[in-house]
Amino acid sequence: MAPQTLPHILSFLLLSFSIFSKLGTTTESTASSIAFTTLGRSRYFFDLFFLPTSQNPEEPVAETQLTDGFSVNYNGFFPSLSSSLLSSLLSSSPPSSMDALLYVSERNGSSNIYLDLFVPAKGGGSFLLPARLQFPLLRQSSHLSRVSMKDKPALAGDDLIYVSTHEPSSSPRRSWAAVYSTHLATGQTRRLTPYGVSDFSPAVSPSGNWTAVASSGARGWSGEVEELKVGIFVFRTADGSGRTLVVDHGGWPCWADESTLYFHRQSSDGWWSIYRAKISIGIGVSLVSVDRITPPGFHAFTPAVSAAAPKLIAVATRRSSSQFRHIELIEVGDGGITYVEVTRPVRPNSHHFNPFFSPDASRVGYHRCRGRSNGGSPPLLLESIKSLAPEAFSLFRIDGSFPSFSHDGKRIAFVGLPGVFVVNSDGSDGRREIFSGNAFPTAWDWKREGVIYTSHGPDFATESTNVDIISITLHDDDAKSQPSIKKLTSGGKNNAFPSPSPDGKWVVFRSGRSGHKNLYIMDALEGEAAGLQHLTDGPWSDTMCNWSPDGEWIAFASDRDNPGSGSFAIYMVHPNGTGLRKVVHSGEGGRTNHPWFSPNSKSLVFTSDYAGVSAEPISNPHHYQPYGDIFIANIDGSNIQRLTHNSYEDGTPTWTPLFLEPTDVAESLQGSARCNFDDCHWLNIKGEVTESLHGKSC
Ligand SMILES: *[C@@H]1O[C@H](CO)[C@@H](O)[C@H](O)[C@H]1NC(C)=O
Ligand SMILES: *[C@@H]1O[C@H](CO)[C@@H](O)[C@H](O)[C@H]1NC(C)=O
Ligand SMILES: *[C@@H]1O[C@H](CO)[C@@H](O)[C@H](O)[C@H]1NC(C)=O
């Protein structure tokens, strides 16, 4: 399909103006690379599938895969396309019958909304047109092409309604998620969410006139990580006007008809349940009634409904009889409710997410992790992510936690919780385990080649826990020889987060030896036995320290503003203990962690909840803290810039002076099983709690 068939939309592609071109020094010699971790995400890949709604559980038919088996595809929607829109998309006259799928796709390092067109096959399934017709719908204008997350598309007439994070929120710890509409023929885009507010999970009414969203309204986000404190607002799709709070507690709305909404909420008995709201739309919008539909005893959430069969609700469930999230159909009749399992008879041991109906309600779509059977790509060691300043630095998601680069940039160390691994940054040779115990983080000595510092023991532990700092020396001249391990601290009072000085003489670390976690400096070769300097001191936690490449500063995360609260800010201090200052905080109760200096020592990259949560956490797999994004700021705290936009948990960034070309690097040694991730741990039903398959990332 030639792009010129969408003339209005795609002509904007040529406008590649970047407001970030002034960021950093952009000469080639100072270009650098940043790598970070996303909890679990390197090991799972989603595709969209559907099953017929008339599925006979005794004789299940196979799923039909809708998406490419290559990108990360999710949150689908079956739109009814108007003939005018179809003919503007297709140069030839459209076939008499055409199916369409709208969905989110992460590919080539950014997220976009795609439209795929299908010709239905005679047997009831779909087959693709000779070439898959795919329209990336939102690459058209400069501000929309900014690095951002796109989510939850729907169609209202010829307007695409969706979530985007391309505009910063007005204050820290507020989500950037807002609902926009883009007219597909002209590309004209309008923000429907008022400034100062964030909206999630939009759904358009059958007439297209109204849109319902989950929103915290003026309350903002107060750090909740399981159920967001959101209510359901309704507004006119055309311009966002008439915005009214209809249900104070609930999320993920969907419309059965112009006056009936279904939604989910966690009930006071603890079970996530489906509710129905009757509303009346007249001069204003008002709530008539709210009824609980699903009873206690199992979780039901993320409802979808079709105007063609308004009594049929598709939901995801977690029941005590399965450790997996499955799609079920609920039929609400006069005599009660009936349940039909859709995905469990077909694929009992996978999580299935976020169902949606075809316009005639004959099919129910959803996404799930694709396994090896769907083909596709090998896991990536480094996934190139779109950088907001491509001339200044490339950005990578790495399949491992707490990465750090050797000083020639040719090797990367990271931890597997447990295990410490080293891999070539070009992906050659596969990963090598150099230490098998639990250890975190990693940092390479600046002078002695092949020396890596880490701390051995449990992560997220108290001051008195047995954790000690070790150095691991690789013997590259002799491939068979084991690395040598040297213990640099003793006494095991949670000695962790070593970071070496650039002259190779010292290591700064945090220790709980005083009863509080504070920073200390010791000899890099001989460890604390050769002397110890107490750098910070107080009844709070200083941790995650990083020594600047120019030797002048040590950056660290500290909760000293409110000890024990879990709220961390980034501070800096000179190695001689002078000059202490706060660099960046995301605000009251906020978390700002994992600082790492830029190669020129003038900026820091770090993890923060500065942009809140980008989607309802229940619509995602398990993330301990579904809010971490990667940011950079100048060391005086100015010019805070968001680097990652997604609804995952990003963390543990590192910054290397080596500029790695912004292309994906596959793992030559394929990793362990994919699709091995947890569903949201807080949905586990008592007695069914599954052990976490992944370590925590921060
Ligand atoms: C991603 O980028 C590569 C290299 O530029 C290109 O060949 C490929 O078609 C792109 N993939 C998608 C899905 O756009
Ligand atoms: C939707 O809005 C249009 C234009 O205002 C109006 O003509 C139509 O009656 C509305 N439909 C419904 C179902 O409210
Ligand atoms: C401490 O170190 C800083 C940075 O190197 C330096 O500017 C300052 O003079 C030092 N202060 C003392 C008291 O040594």
Side-chain angles (χ1 to χ4, degrees):
M1 192 70 221
Q4 58 268 29
T5 56
L6 272 177
H8 301 294
I9 299 183
L10 292 155
S11 60
F12 290 95
L13 263 171
L14 300 172
L15 304 173
S16 58
F17 168 73
S18 165
I19 61 159
F20 297 108
S21 56
K22 289 204 193 72
L23 194 88
T25 323
T26 56
T27 62
E28 210 170 301
S29 61
T30 59
S32 57
S33 300
I34 292 171
F36 66 95
T37 307
T38 302
L39 182 71
R41 177 46 191 74
S42 297
R43 297 292 175 95
Y44 60 78
F45 311 87
F46 292 128
D47 268 307
L48 287 144
F49 297 81
F50 77 80
L51 280 164
T53 46
S54 56
Q55 181 82 299
N56 173 1
E58 305 302 316
E59 294 169 46
V61 306
E63 301 162 297
T64 303
Q65 182 174 335
L66 290 164
T67 43
D68 64 3
F70 186 78
S71 315
V72 180
N73 307 305
Y74 53 90
N75 288 353
F77 179 84
F78 284 122
S80 327
L81 296 184
S82 69
S83 50
S84 63
L85 183 56
L86 261 183
S87 35
S88 77
L89 294 171
L90 298 167
S91 44
S92 52
S93 59
S96 57
S97 175
M98 178 82 93
D99 281 350
L101 174 72
L102 274 174
Y103 60 104
V104 182
S105 188
E106 292 176 16
R107 48 181 84 179
N108 283 3
S110 66
S111 144
N112 204 342
I113 290 167
Y114 280 75
L115 174 67
D116 288 10
L117 298 179
F118 308 85
V119 175
K122 294 208 174 62
S126 286
F127 67 87
L128 306 180
L129 286 170
R132 174 185 289 267
L133 295 186
Q134 297 197 318
F135 301 98
L137 294 176
L138 295 167
R139 264 152 65 185
Q140 61 274 39
S141 69
S142 56
H143 67 286
L144 281 172
S145 71
R146 251 185 239 171
V147 178
S148 64
M149 183 186 101
K150 301 287 186 281
D151 201 14
K152 202 77 179 29
L155 209 58
D158 293 353
D159 290 326
L160 182 68
I161 311 298
Y162 58 98
V163 170
S164 175
T165 58
H166 65 274
E167 290 183 283
S169 68
S170 50
S171 50
R173 292 194 97 215
R174 230 176 232 254
S175 176
W176 297 19
V179 174
Y180 296 80
S181 82
T182 294
H183 189 248
L184 289 177
T186 61
Q188 194 166 58
T189 294
R190 177 196 280 273
R191 180 176 168 125
L192 300 178
T193 302
Y195 284 97
V197 169
S198 7
D199 283 345
F200 308 95
S201 318
V204 176
S205 72
S207 72
N209 288 2
W210 294 88
T211 293
V213 294
S215 180
S216 49
R219 280 179 300 198
W221 180 63
S222 48
E224 63 270 17
V225 301
E226 297 177 2
E227 185 183 25
L228 295 185
K229 290 189 184 120
V230 286
I232 301 201
F233 287 75
V234 166
F235 54 76
R236 283 192 190 84
T237 309
D239 57 6
S241 67
R243 186 180 171 99
T244 308
L245 174 67
V246 292
V247 175
D248 190 49
H249 173 199
W252 206 267
C254 61
W255 299 80
D257 57 49
E258 294 295 312
S259 58
T260 310
L261 285 163
Y262 289 92
F263 61 94
H264 64 208
R265 84 163 52 137
Q266 189 174 21
S267 306
S268 53
D269 55 27
W271 298 101
W272 283 76
S273 313
I274 305 301
Y275 286 76
R276 177 178 55 213
K278 287 282 187 187
I279 62 173
S280 149
I281 298 182
I283 297 170
V285 182
S286 58
L287 178 68
V288 175
S289 61
V290 171
D291 294 298
R292 182 172 180 171
I293 302 297
T294 58
F298 67 104
H299 295 301
F301 45 89
T302 56
V305 65
S306 158
K311 295 207 158 118
L312 200 60
I313 312 162
V315 298
T317 60
R318 282 294 307 275
R319 292 182 180 265
S320 61
S321 52
S322 172
Q323 295 183 355
F324 293 91
R325 178 187 294 216
H326 282 294
I327 308 302
E328 296 184 33
L329 296 174
I330 298 179
E331 187 142 22
V332 189
D334 297 332
I337 314 176
T338 54
Y339 301 91
V340 178
E341 294 195 309
V342 177
T343 54
R344 183 141 70 144
V346 179
R347 187 172 278 269
N349 297 329
S350 299
H351 297 299
H352 300 77
F353 296 86
N354 305 353
F356 55 101
F357 278 112
S358 60
D360 64 359
S362 68
R363 288 170 285 174
V364 59
Y366 50 86
H367 65 266
R368 66 165 173 82
C369 186
R370 61 168 171 265
R372 286 180 212 284
S373 57
N374 303 112
S377 43
L380 296 174
L381 172 68
L382 296 172
E383 179 183 354
S384 175
I385 303 293
K386 189 175 174 190
S387 166
L388 60 75
E391 324 77 21
F393 54 83
S394 50
L395 180 66
F396 297 91
R397 171 180 290 137
I398 183 170
D399 182 16
S401 292
F402 288 110
S404 66
F405 285 82
S406 61
H407 291 290
D408 60 7
K410 292 197 172 128
R411 289 186 291 180
I412 309 171
F414 56 88
V415 302
L417 303 168
V420 180
F421 300 85
V422 168
V423 73
N424 292 344
S425 46
D426 64 4
S428 63
D429 273 0
R431 57 181 67 201
R432 174 153 77 104
E433 189 176 61
I434 59 165
F435 185 74
S436 61
N438 196 65
F440 62 98
T442 64
W444 296 72
D445 191 275
W446 294 80
K447 299 287 181 199
R448 292 178 296 142
E449 228 173 275
V451 175
I452 297 161
Y453 300 92
T454 187
S455 28
H456 174 210
D459 42 324
F460 284 106
T462 61
E463 284 76 2
S464 60
T465 309
N466 226 330
V467 184
D468 272 309
I469 290 170
I470 57 174
S471 63
I472 303 171
T473 304
L474 307 177
H475 303 290
D476 294 319
D477 38 342
D478 178 1
K480 283 198 208 81
S481 99
Q482 291 299 309
S484 37
I485 311 287
K486 183 167 183 174
K487 204 168 159 208
L488 298 179
T489 59
S490 57
K493 293 276 192 266
N494 212 334
N495 301 304
F497 287 98
S499 179
S501 63
D503 63 8
K505 291 187 176 140
W506 310 104
V507 169
V508 63
F509 64 104
R510 76 107 199 268
S511 174
R513 62 187 64 208
S514 71
H516 304 289
K517 291 174 183 168
N518 293 140
L519 303 186
Y520 298 79
I521 294 175
M522 66 178 166
D523 188 275
L525 279 166
E526 301 305 322
E528 66 170 72
L532 197 62
Q533 176 199 337
H534 201 153
L535 181 64
T536 65
D537 189 16
W540 51 67
S541 285
D542 300 322
T543 185
M544 301 175 181
C545 33
N546 185 254
W547 207 310
S548 65
D550 65 6
E552 287 286 299
W553 291 103
I554 287 159
F556 58 100
S558 179
D559 71 351
R560 57 180 65 206
D561 293 326
N562 192 356
S565 67
S567 177
F568 282 82
I570 290 175
Y571 280 78
M572 292 199 323
V573 66
H574 287 305
N576 63 13
T578 66
L580 177 83
R581 68 182 202 223
K582 180 148 76 176
V583 182
V584 46
H585 193 22
S586 61
E588 180 78 27
R591 283 173 182 260
T592 309
N593 294 95
H594 305 142
W596 197 289
F597 279 97
S598 62
N600 68 6
S601 303
K602 293 194 168 120
S603 312
L604 286 163
V605 64
F606 53 90
T607 312
S608 181
D609 63 359
Y610 195 86
V613 175
S614 296
E616 286 190 56
I618 198 169
S619 65
N620 265 339
H622 178 48
H623 288 266
Y624 289 86
Q625 296 164 355
Y627 53 70
D629 278 292
I630 307 299
F631 291 79
I632 52 174
N634 296 342
I635 57 171
D636 63 4
S638 66
N639 200 20
I640 298 174
Q641 304 271 356
R642 180 177 180 178
L643 300 192
T644 59
H645 289 249
N646 55 58
S647 56
Y648 313 130
E649 178 179 347
D650 298 322
T652 67
T654 186
W655 204 332
T656 168
L658 186 82
F659 179 74
L660 300 174
E661 286 300 325
T663 52
D664 293 341
V665 177
E667 304 215 26
S668 65
L669 190 72
Q670 298 213 352
S672 55
R674 292 145 66 182
C675 298
N676 239 351
F677 56 86
D678 284 354
D679 199 8
C680 299
H681 68 293
W682 34 274
L683 291 174
N684 289 336
I685 293 162
K686 232 177 169 174
E688 294 282 318
V689 179
T690 53
E691 219 181 292
S692 163
L693 293 163
H694 296 284
K696 301 169 196 173
S697 82
C698 62

